[in-house]
Amino acid sequence: MAQRPYVVGNWKMHGTRAMLAEARAIDRAAERLIKVQVALAPPYTLIHATRNEAVLIGVGAQDCHPADGGAHTGDISAAMLKDAGAGFVIVGHSERRADHGETDADVKAKAEGAIAAGLEVILCVGESEAQRDAGEAEKVVARQLEGSLPQGENAAEKVTVAYEPVWAIGTGRTPSIDDIGAMHRAIRKKLVSIYGEGAGEIRILYGGSVKAENAAEIFEADEVGGALVGGASLTAESFLGIIAAAAEGLQG
Ligand code: PEP
């Protein structure tokens, strides 16, 4: 992998200003761990403050509306996120797909809106437990990639893919290292078939119950270019253990 490993914390609907101390601590430690690209996606309300507090790490959002602006009460556009200091946005997280009925087409529109506004995109894909049990995991993920990857000039350069099996998110369960590697190889193949050879550079993150204790092993799986981390990104202590494992295991 030509690029540095990428470790991103998704704070979900957690965090008030008191949590900025964690962001500061993560940012300070990132100085020592320069082999790893580190980022946080706090809730909207903390993006601007996190950007101001953190100098080295990336700061992004967890979702955006596909349109530039307009009569969409309660929504936030990618241009607003950029103005608040975000450099990227997560789209297609399974919690958004489940809680808000987001389809692949919705996710694609969000990704394309984000890129047009100058943001990078982390696109989440992943199968449910029933789909894995039915032997359909790779087929489901391939379909999600076909339907939700952004198109357009330079789109491939702006995208990171996060493979997050739905049944592994927040459950403490993870796929086997072989299964993670097999899925990441399948995703790479699909990316190359959609974007061409340049897709070899797209980082594919694993997400789903990554902790300091299992990170080193996960980072050894084929084609794993980093991690998207939920629960274990909420404190500097737990998140830094994952970042340290990436610094040791994934030689960028
Ligand atoms: C996530 O929600 O993106 C995630 C990976 O959560 P957790 O690490 O808590 O499983």
Side-chain angles (χ1 to χ4, degrees):
M1 191 182 60
Q3 289 166 290
R4 287 189 294 168
Y6 192 18
V7 178
V8 183
N10 170 15
W11 280 4
K12 310 193 186 196
M13 199 170 72
H14 298 291
T16 58
R17 283 176 295 161
M19 256 178 79
L20 293 172
E22 302 297 331
R24 267 196 303 276
I26 291 163
D27 192 58
R28 289 218 190 90
E31 201 172 358
R32 287 184 280 108
L33 298 163
I34 49 166
K35 285 196 284 186
V36 184
Q37 184 179 345
V38 179
L40 285 177
Y44 291 137
T45 48
L46 292 180
I47 289 173
H48 189 58
T50 305
R51 183 65 290 159
N52 284 344
E53 297 283 340
V55 181
L56 292 172
I57 62 172
V59 178
Q62 302 167 18
D63 182 48
C64 66
H65 193 279
D68 282 348
H72 302 292
T73 303
D75 281 317
I76 306 279
S77 75
M80 291 168 176
L81 296 175
K82 191 164 163 55
D83 180 61
F88 72 92
V89 60
I90 298 168
V91 295
H93 193 283
S94 61
E95 287 155 11
R96 301 260 352 144
R97 292 178 189 258
D99 295 355
H100 301 273
E102 290 185 9
T103 64
D104 288 336
D106 295 330
V107 174
K108 181 179 183 185
K110 288 175 182 224
E112 290 179 351
I115 291 170
L119 297 181
E120 296 194 353
V121 164
I122 299 176
L123 170 71
C124 300
V125 293
E127 80 286 356
S128 68
E129 185 160 32
Q131 289 164 333
R132 175 154 289 269
D133 289 347
E136 293 175 349
E138 288 189 15
K139 198 172 78 187
V140 166
V141 168
R143 202 169 54 220
Q144 289 174 333
L145 290 169
E146 277 160 17
S148 54
L149 276 171
Q151 296 301 317
E153 210 187 335
N154 301 332
E157 291 164 27
K158 304 290 179 193
V159 173
T160 296
V161 172
Y163 166 55
E164 300 206 307
V166 178
W167 52 273
I169 293 179
T171 60
R173 296 165 59 206
T174 54
S176 70
I177 301 307
D178 283 352
D179 284 347
I180 293 174
M183 181 62 86
H184 279 237
R185 285 194 301 275
I187 291 172
R188 174 74 64 210
K189 212 166 142 200
K190 193 75 197 166
L191 289 171
V192 170
S193 84
I194 291 172
Y195 286 136
E197 285 306 319
E201 290 295 302
I202 296 176
R203 279 176 296 194
I204 307 170
L205 313 182
Y206 169 77
S209 295
V210 179
K211 306 187 225 38
E213 296 74 33
N214 62 13
E217 193 189 10
I218 288 170
F219 290 147
E220 277 171 18
D222 276 356
E223 296 282 4
V224 171
L228 181 56
V229 183
S233 71
L234 293 173
T235 67
E237 193 186 0
S238 52
F239 196 40
L240 290 172
I242 296 169
I243 297 165
E248 280 166 32
L250 289 167
Q251 300 300 326

Coordinates of all heavy atoms in Angstrom, one line a residue, residues 127-205:
E127 N -22.5 -6.4 4.9 CA -23.6 -7.3 4.8 C -24.2 -7.5 6.2 O -23.5 -7.3 7.2 CB -23.2 -8.6 4.3 CG -22.5 -9.6 5.2 CD -21.0 -9.2 5.6 OE1 -20.5 -8.2 5.0 OE2 -20.4 -9.9 6.4
S128 N -25.5 -7.9 6.3 CA -26.1 -8.3 7.5 C -25.7 -9.7 7.9 O -25.1 -10.4 7.1 CB -27.6 -8.2 7.4 OG -28.0 -9.2 6.5
E129 N -26.0 -10.1 9.1 CA -25.7 -11.5 9.5 C -26.4 -12.5 8.7 O -25.9 -13.5 8.3 CB -26.1 -11.6 11.0 CG -25.6 -13.0 11.5 CD -25.5 -13.0 13.0 OE1 -26.3 -12.3 13.7 OE2 -24.6 -13.7 13.6
A130 N -27.7 -12.2 8.4 CA -28.5 -13.2 7.6 C -27.9 -13.3 6.2 O -27.8 -14.4 5.6 CB -29.9 -12.7 7.5
Q131 N -27.4 -12.2 5.6 CA -26.8 -12.3 4.3 C -25.5 -13.1 4.3 O -25.2 -13.8 3.4 CB -26.6 -10.8 3.8 CG -27.9 -10.2 3.4 CD -27.7 -8.6 3.3 OE1 -26.9 -8.0 3.9 NE2 -28.6 -8.1 2.4
R132 N -24.7 -12.9 5.4 CA -23.5 -13.7 5.5 C -23.8 -15.2 5.7 O -23.2 -16.0 5.0 CB -22.6 -13.2 6.7 CG -21.4 -14.1 6.9 CD -20.2 -13.4 7.5 NE -19.5 -12.4 6.6 CZ -18.5 -12.7 5.8 NH1 -18.0 -14.0 5.7 NH2 -17.9 -11.8 5.1
D133 N -24.8 -15.5 6.6 CA -25.1 -16.9 6.8 C -25.6 -17.5 5.5 O -25.5 -18.7 5.3 CB -26.2 -17.0 7.9 CG -25.7 -16.6 9.2 OD1 -24.4 -16.6 9.4 OD2 -26.5 -16.4 10.2
A134 N -26.2 -16.7 4.6 CA -26.8 -17.2 3.4 C -25.7 -17.3 2.3 O -26.0 -17.7 1.1 CB -27.9 -16.4 2.9
G135 N -24.5 -17.0 2.7 CA -23.4 -17.0 1.7 C -23.4 -15.9 0.7 O -22.8 -16.0 -0.4
E136 N -24.1 -14.8 1.0 CA -24.3 -13.7 0.0 C -23.4 -12.5 0.3 O -23.6 -11.5 -0.3 CB -25.8 -13.3 0.0 CG -26.6 -14.4 -0.5 CD -28.1 -14.0 -0.4 OE1 -28.4 -13.0 0.3 OE2 -28.9 -14.7 -1.0
A137 N -22.5 -12.6 1.3 CA -21.8 -11.4 1.7 C -21.1 -10.6 0.6 O -21.3 -9.4 0.4 CB -20.9 -11.7 2.9
E138 N -20.4 -11.4 -0.2 CA -19.6 -10.7 -1.3 C -20.5 -10.1 -2.3 O -20.3 -9.0 -2.9 CB -18.6 -11.6 -1.9 CG -17.4 -11.9 -0.9 CD -16.2 -12.6 -1.5 OE1 -16.2 -12.7 -2.8 OE2 -15.4 -13.1 -0.7
K139 N -21.6 -10.8 -2.6 CA -22.6 -10.4 -3.6 C -23.2 -9.1 -3.1 O -23.4 -8.1 -3.9 CB -23.6 -11.5 -3.8 CG -24.4 -11.3 -5.1 CD -25.3 -12.5 -5.4 CE -26.5 -12.4 -4.5 NZ -27.4 -13.6 -4.6
V140 N -23.6 -9.0 -1.9 CA -24.3 -7.9 -1.3 C -23.4 -6.7 -1.3 O -23.7 -5.5 -1.7 CB -24.7 -8.2 0.2 CG1 -25.1 -6.9 0.9 CG2 -25.9 -9.2 0.2
V141 N -22.1 -6.9 -0.9 CA -21.2 -5.7 -0.9 C -20.9 -5.3 -2.3 O -20.8 -4.0 -2.6 CB -19.9 -6.2 -0.1 CG1 -18.8 -5.2 -0.3 CG2 -20.2 -6.3 1.4
A142 N -20.7 -6.2 -3.2 CA -20.5 -5.8 -4.6 C -21.7 -4.9 -5.1 O -21.5 -3.9 -5.8 CB -20.3 -7.0 -5.5
R143 N -22.9 -5.3 -4.8 CA -24.0 -4.6 -5.3 C -24.0 -3.2 -4.6 O -24.4 -2.2 -5.3 CB -25.3 -5.4 -4.9 CG -26.5 -5.0 -5.7 CD -27.7 -6.0 -5.5 NE -28.0 -6.1 -4.0 CZ -28.3 -7.2 -3.4 NH1 -28.3 -8.4 -4.1 NH2 -28.5 -7.3 -2.1
Q144 N -23.7 -3.1 -3.3 CA -23.6 -1.8 -2.7 C -22.6 -0.9 -3.3 O -22.8 0.3 -3.5 CB -23.3 -2.0 -1.2 CG -24.4 -2.6 -0.4 CD -24.0 -2.8 1.1 OE1 -22.8 -3.1 1.4 NE2 -25.0 -2.8 2.0
L145 N -21.4 -1.5 -3.7 CA -20.4 -0.7 -4.3 C -20.9 -0.2 -5.7 O -20.7 1.0 -6.1 CB -19.1 -1.5 -4.5 CG -18.4 -1.8 -3.2 CD1 -17.3 -2.8 -3.5 CD2 -17.8 -0.5 -2.6
E146 N -21.5 -1.1 -6.5 CA -22.0 -0.7 -7.8 C -23.0 0.5 -7.7 O -23.0 1.4 -8.5 CB -22.7 -1.9 -8.5 CG -21.7 -2.8 -9.2 CD -22.3 -4.2 -9.4 OE1 -23.6 -4.3 -9.4 OE2 -21.6 -5.1 -9.7
G147 N -23.8 0.4 -6.6 CA -24.9 1.4 -6.5 C -24.5 2.7 -5.8 O -25.2 3.7 -6.0
S148 N -23.5 2.6 -5.0 CA -23.3 3.8 -4.2 C -21.9 4.5 -4.4 O -21.7 5.6 -3.9 CB -23.5 3.5 -2.7 OG -22.7 2.4 -2.3
L149 N -21.0 3.9 -5.2 CA -19.7 4.6 -5.4 C -20.0 5.8 -6.3 O -20.7 5.8 -7.3 CB -18.7 3.7 -6.1 CG -17.9 2.7 -5.3 CD1 -17.2 1.7 -6.1 CD2 -16.9 3.5 -4.3
P150 N -19.4 7.0 -5.9 CA -19.5 8.2 -6.7 C -18.9 8.0 -8.1 O -17.8 7.4 -8.2 CB -18.9 9.2 -5.8 CG -17.9 8.5 -5.0 CD -18.5 7.2 -4.7
Q151 N -19.5 8.7 -9.0 CA -18.9 8.7 -10.4 C -18.5 10.2 -10.7 O -18.9 11.1 -9.9 CB -19.9 8.2 -11.4 CG -20.3 6.8 -11.2 CD -19.1 5.8 -11.3 OE1 -18.2 6.0 -12.2 NE2 -19.0 4.9 -10.4
G152 N -17.7 10.3 -11.7 CA -17.3 11.7 -12.1 C -15.8 11.8 -12.0 O -15.1 11.0 -11.5
E153 N -15.4 12.9 -12.6 CA -13.9 13.2 -12.7 C -13.3 13.2 -11.3 O -13.8 13.8 -10.4 CB -13.7 14.5 -13.3 CG -12.4 14.6 -14.1 CD -12.2 16.0 -14.6 OE1 -13.1 16.8 -14.7 OE2 -11.0 16.3 -14.8
N154 N -12.2 12.4 -11.2 CA -11.4 12.4 -9.9 C -12.2 11.7 -8.8 O -11.7 11.8 -7.6 CB -10.9 13.7 -9.5 CG -10.1 14.4 -10.5 OD1 -9.4 13.7 -11.3 ND2 -10.1 15.7 -10.5
A155 N -13.3 11.1 -9.0 CA -14.1 10.5 -7.9 C -13.3 9.5 -7.1 O -13.2 9.5 -5.9 CB -15.4 9.9 -8.4
A156 N -12.6 8.7 -7.9 CA -11.8 7.6 -7.3 C -10.7 8.1 -6.3 O -10.4 7.5 -5.3 CB -11.2 6.7 -8.3
E157 N -10.2 9.3 -6.6 CA -9.1 9.9 -5.8 C -9.7 10.4 -4.5 O -8.9 10.7 -3.5 CB -8.5 11.1 -6.5 CG -7.6 10.6 -7.7 CD -7.3 11.8 -8.6 OE1 -7.2 12.9 -8.1 OE2 -7.1 11.5 -9.8
K158 N -11.0 10.6 -4.4 CA -11.6 11.2 -3.2 C -12.2 10.2 -2.3 O -12.8 10.5 -1.2 CB -12.7 12.2 -3.6 CG -12.2 13.3 -4.6 CD -11.2 14.2 -3.8 CE -10.7 15.3 -4.8 NZ -9.6 16.0 -4.1
V159 N -12.2 8.9 -2.7 CA -13.0 7.9 -2.0 C -12.1 7.0 -1.1 O -11.0 6.6 -1.6 CB -13.8 7.0 -3.0 CG1 -14.4 5.9 -2.3 CG2 -14.8 7.9 -3.6
T160 N -12.5 6.7 0.1 CA -12.0 5.6 0.9 C -13.3 4.7 1.1 O -14.4 5.2 1.3 CB -11.6 6.1 2.3 OG1 -10.4 7.0 2.0 CG2 -11.2 5.0 3.2
V161 N -13.1 3.4 1.1 CA -14.2 2.5 1.3 C -14.0 1.9 2.7 O -12.9 1.5 3.1 CB -14.2 1.4 0.3 CG1 -15.2 0.3 0.6 CG2 -14.5 1.9 -1.1
A162 N -15.1 1.8 3.5 CA -15.0 1.1 4.8 C -15.9 -0.1 4.7 O -17.1 0.0 4.5 CB -15.5 2.0 5.9
Y163 N -15.3 -1.3 4.9 CA -16.1 -2.5 4.9 C -16.5 -2.7 6.4 O -15.6 -3.0 7.3 CB -15.3 -3.7 4.4 CG -15.9 -5.0 4.8 CD1 -17.2 -5.3 4.4 CD2 -15.2 -6.0 5.5 CE1 -17.9 -6.5 4.8 CE2 -15.9 -7.2 5.9 CZ -17.2 -7.4 5.5 OH -17.8 -8.6 5.9
E164 N -17.8 -2.7 6.7 CA -18.3 -2.8 8.0 C -19.4 -3.8 8.0 O -20.6 -3.4 7.8 CB -18.8 -1.5 8.5 CG -17.8 -0.4 8.6 CD -18.1 0.7 9.6 OE1 -19.2 1.2 9.6 OE2 -17.3 0.9 10.5
P165 N -19.1 -5.1 8.3 CA -20.2 -6.0 8.5 C -21.2 -5.6 9.5 O -20.8 -5.3 10.7 CB -19.5 -7.3 8.9 CG -18.1 -7.0 9.1 CD -17.8 -5.6 8.7
V166 N -22.5 -5.5 9.2 CA -23.4 -4.9 10.1 C -23.5 -5.6 11.5 O -23.6 -5.0 12.5 CB -24.9 -4.9 9.5 CG1 -25.9 -4.3 10.4 CG2 -24.8 -4.1 8.1
W167 N -23.3 -6.9 11.4 CA -23.4 -7.7 12.6 C -22.2 -7.6 13.5 O -22.2 -8.1 14.7 CB -23.6 -9.2 12.2 CG -22.6 -9.7 11.2 CD1 -22.7 -9.6 9.9 CD2 -21.3 -10.3 11.5 NE1 -21.5 -10.1 9.3 CE2 -20.7 -10.6 10.3 CE3 -20.7 -10.7 12.7 CZ2 -19.4 -11.2 10.2 CZ3 -19.4 -11.3 12.6 CH2 -18.8 -11.5 11.4
A168 N -21.1 -6.9 13.0 CA -19.9 -6.7 13.8 C -19.9 -5.3 14.5 O -19.1 -5.1 15.4 CB -18.7 -6.9 13.0
I169 N -20.8 -4.5 14.1 CA -20.8 -3.1 14.6 C -21.3 -3.0 16.0 O -22.5 -3.4 16.3 CB -21.5 -2.1 13.7 CG1 -20.8 -2.0 12.3 CG2 -21.7 -0.7 14.3 CD1 -21.5 -1.2 11.3
G170 N -20.5 -2.6 17.0 CA -20.9 -2.5 18.3 C -21.2 -3.7 19.1 O -21.8 -3.7 20.2
T171 N -20.9 -4.9 18.5 CA -21.3 -6.2 19.1 C -20.2 -6.9 19.8 O -20.4 -7.9 20.5 CB -21.8 -7.1 18.0 OG1 -20.8 -7.4 17.1 CG2 -23.1 -6.6 17.3
G172 N -18.9 -6.5 19.5 CA -17.8 -7.2 20.1 C -17.4 -8.4 19.2 O -16.5 -9.1 19.5
R173 N -18.2 -8.7 18.2 CA -17.9 -9.8 17.3 C -17.2 -9.3 16.0 O -17.5 -8.2 15.6 CB -19.2 -10.5 16.9 CG -19.9 -11.1 18.1 CD -21.3 -11.5 17.7 NE -21.4 -12.4 16.5 CZ -22.4 -12.5 15.7 NH1 -23.5 -11.7 15.8 NH2 -22.4 -13.3 14.7
T174 N -16.3 -10.1 15.5 CA -15.6 -9.7 14.3 C -15.5 -10.9 13.4 O -15.5 -12.1 13.8 CB -14.1 -9.2 14.5 OG1 -13.4 -10.2 15.3 CG2 -14.1 -7.9 15.3
P175 N -15.4 -10.7 12.1 CA -15.2 -11.8 11.2 C -13.8 -12.4 11.4 O -13.0 -11.8 12.0 CB -15.3 -11.2 9.8 CG -15.8 -9.8 9.9 CD -15.5 -9.4 11.3
S176 N -13.6 -13.6 10.9 CA -12.2 -14.2 11.0 C -11.3 -13.3 10.1 O -11.7 -12.6 9.2 CB -12.2 -15.6 10.5 OG -12.4 -15.6 9.1
I177 N -10.0 -13.4 10.4 CA -9.0 -12.6 9.6 C -9.1 -13.1 8.2 O -9.0 -12.3 7.2 CB -7.6 -12.8 10.2 CG1 -7.6 -12.4 11.7 CG2 -6.5 -12.1 9.4 CD1 -8.1 -10.9 11.9
D178 N -9.3 -14.4 7.9 CA -9.4 -14.9 6.5 C -10.6 -14.3 5.9 O -10.6 -13.9 4.7 CB -9.6 -16.4 6.5 CG -8.3 -17.1 6.8 OD1 -7.2 -16.4 6.8 OD2 -8.3 -18.3 6.9
D179 N -11.7 -14.2 6.6 CA -12.9 -13.6 6.0 C -12.8 -12.1 5.7 O -13.2 -11.6 4.7 CB -14.2 -13.8 6.9 CG -14.7 -15.2 6.8 OD1 -14.3 -16.0 5.9 OD2 -15.5 -15.6 7.7
I180 N -12.1 -11.4 6.6 CA -11.8 -10.0 6.4 C -10.9 -9.8 5.1 O -11.2 -9.0 4.2 CB -11.1 -9.3 7.6 CG1 -12.1 -9.3 8.8 CG2 -10.6 -7.9 7.2 CD1 -11.5 -8.7 10.1
G181 N -9.9 -10.6 5.0 CA -9.0 -10.6 3.9 C -9.7 -10.9 2.6 O -9.6 -10.2 1.6
A182 N -10.6 -11.9 2.6 CA -11.3 -12.3 1.4 C -12.2 -11.2 1.0 O -12.3 -10.9 -0.2 CB -12.1 -13.6 1.7
M183 N -12.9 -10.6 1.9 CA -13.8 -9.5 1.5 C -13.1 -8.3 1.0 O -13.5 -7.7 0.0 CB -14.7 -9.1 2.7 CG -15.7 -8.0 2.4 SD -16.9 -8.5 1.1 CE -18.2 -9.3 2.1
H184 N -12.0 -8.0 1.6 CA -11.2 -6.8 1.2 C -10.6 -7.1 -0.2 O -10.6 -6.2 -1.1 CB -10.1 -6.5 2.2 CG -10.6 -5.7 3.3 ND1 -10.1 -4.4 3.7 CD2 -11.6 -5.9 4.2 CE1 -10.8 -3.9 4.7 NE2 -11.7 -4.8 5.1
R185 N -10.2 -8.3 -0.5 CA -9.7 -8.6 -1.9 C -10.9 -8.5 -2.9 O -10.7 -7.9 -4.0 CB -9.1 -10.0 -1.9 CG -7.8 -10.2 -1.3 CD -7.1 -11.5 -1.6 NE -7.9 -12.7 -1.3 CZ -7.9 -13.3 -0.1 NH1 -7.1 -12.8 0.9 NH2 -8.6 -14.4 0.1
A186 N -12.0 -8.9 -2.5 CA -13.2 -8.8 -3.4 C -13.5 -7.4 -3.6 O -13.9 -7.0 -4.8 CB -14.4 -9.6 -2.8
I187 N -13.4 -6.5 -2.6 CA -13.7 -5.1 -2.8 C -12.7 -4.5 -3.7 O -13.1 -3.7 -4.6 CB -13.8 -4.4 -1.4 CG1 -15.0 -4.9 -0.6 CG2 -13.8 -2.9 -1.5 CD1 -15.1 -4.4 0.9
R188 N -11.4 -4.8 -3.5 CA -10.4 -4.3 -4.4 C -10.7 -4.6 -5.8 O -10.6 -3.8 -6.7 CB -9.0 -4.8 -4.0 CG -7.9 -4.4 -4.9 CD -7.5 -3.0 -4.8 NE -7.0 -2.7 -3.5 CZ -7.0 -1.5 -2.8 NH1 -7.6 -0.5 -3.4 NH2 -6.5 -1.4 -1.6
K189 N -11.1 -5.9 -6.1 CA -11.4 -6.3 -7.4 C -12.5 -5.5 -8.0 O -12.5 -5.0 -9.2 CB -11.7 -7.8 -7.4 CG -11.3 -8.6 -8.6 CD -11.4 -10.0 -8.3 CE -11.9 -10.7 -9.6 NZ -12.5 -12.0 -9.3
K190 N -13.5 -5.3 -7.2 CA -14.7 -4.6 -7.7 C -14.3 -3.1 -7.9 O -14.8 -2.5 -8.9 CB -15.8 -4.6 -6.6 CG -17.1 -4.2 -7.1 CD -17.7 -5.2 -7.9 CE -18.9 -4.7 -8.8 NZ -19.3 -5.6 -9.8
L191 N -13.5 -2.5 -7.1 CA -13.1 -1.1 -7.3 C -12.3 -1.0 -8.6 O -12.6 0.0 -9.3 CB -12.2 -0.6 -6.1 CG -12.9 -0.4 -4.8 CD1 -11.9 -0.2 -3.7 CD2 -13.9 0.7 -4.9
V192 N -11.5 -1.9 -8.9 CA -10.7 -1.9 -10.1 C -11.6 -2.0 -11.3 O -11.5 -1.3 -12.3 CB -9.6 -2.9 -10.1 CG1 -8.9 -3.0 -11.5 CG2 -8.5 -2.6 -9.0
S193 N -12.6 -2.9 -11.2 CA -13.5 -3.1 -12.3 C -14.4 -1.8 -12.5 O -14.8 -1.5 -13.7 CB -14.4 -4.3 -12.2 OG -15.5 -4.1 -11.4
I194 N -14.7 -1.1 -11.5 CA -15.5 0.1 -11.6 C -14.6 1.4 -12.0 O -15.0 2.1 -12.9 CB -16.3 0.4 -10.3 CG1 -17.3 -0.7 -10.2 CG2 -16.9 1.8 -10.4 CD1 -18.1 -0.6 -8.8
Y195 N -13.5 1.5 -11.4 CA -12.7 2.8 -11.6 C -11.5 2.6 -12.5 O -10.8 3.5 -12.8 CB -12.2 3.3 -10.2 CG -13.3 4.0 -9.4 CD1 -13.3 3.7 -8.0 CD2 -14.2 4.9 -9.9 CE1 -14.3 4.4 -7.2 CE2 -15.1 5.6 -9.1 CZ -15.1 5.3 -7.7 OH -16.0 5.9 -6.9
G196 N -11.1 1.3 -12.7 CA -9.9 1.1 -13.5 C -8.7 0.9 -12.5 O -8.9 0.9 -11.3
E197 N -7.5 0.8 -13.1 CA -6.3 0.5 -12.4 C -6.0 1.5 -11.2 O -5.4 1.1 -10.2 CB -5.1 0.3 -13.3 CG -5.1 -1.0 -14.1 CD -5.3 -2.2 -13.3 OE1 -4.7 -2.3 -12.2 OE2 -6.1 -3.1 -13.7
G198 N -6.4 2.7 -11.4 CA -6.1 3.7 -10.4 C -6.7 3.3 -9.0 O -6.3 3.8 -8.0
A199 N -7.7 2.5 -9.1 CA -8.4 2.0 -7.8 C -7.5 1.2 -6.9 O -7.8 0.9 -5.8 CB -9.6 1.2 -8.2
G200 N -6.3 0.9 -7.4 CA -5.3 0.2 -6.6 C -4.9 1.0 -5.4 O -4.4 0.5 -4.4
E201 N -5.1 2.3 -5.5 CA -4.6 3.2 -4.4 C -5.7 3.5 -3.4 O -5.5 4.2 -2.4 CB -4.2 4.5 -5.0 CG -2.9 4.5 -5.8 CD -1.7 4.1 -4.9 OE1 -1.4 4.9 -4.0 OE2 -1.1 3.1 -5.2
I202 N -6.9 3.1 -3.7 CA -8.0 3.4 -2.7 C -7.9 2.6 -1.5 O -7.7 1.4 -1.5 CB -9.4 3.1 -3.4 CG1 -9.6 4.0 -4.6 CG2 -10.5 3.3 -2.4 CD1 -10.9 3.7 -5.4
R203 N -7.9 3.3 -0.3 CA -7.8 2.6 0.9 C -9.1 1.9 1.3 O -10.2 2.5 1.1 CB -7.3 3.5 2.0 CG -5.8 3.7 1.9 CD -5.3 4.6 2.9 NE -5.8 5.9 2.7 CZ -5.3 7.0 3.3 NH1 -4.3 7.0 4.1 NH2 -5.8 8.2 3.0
I204 N -9.0 0.7 1.8 CA -10.2 0.0 2.2 C -10.0 -0.3 3.7 O -9.1 -1.0 4.1 CB -10.3 -1.4 1.5 CG1 -10.2 -1.2 -0.1 CG2 -11.6 -2.1 1.9 CD1 -10.1 -2.5 -0.8
L205 N -10.8 0.4 4.5 CA -10.8 0.3 5.9 C -11.7 -0.9 6.4 O -12.7 -1.2 5.8 CB -11.3 1.5 6.6 CG -10.7 2.9 6.0 CD1 -11.3 4.0 6.9 CD2 -9.2 2.9 6.0

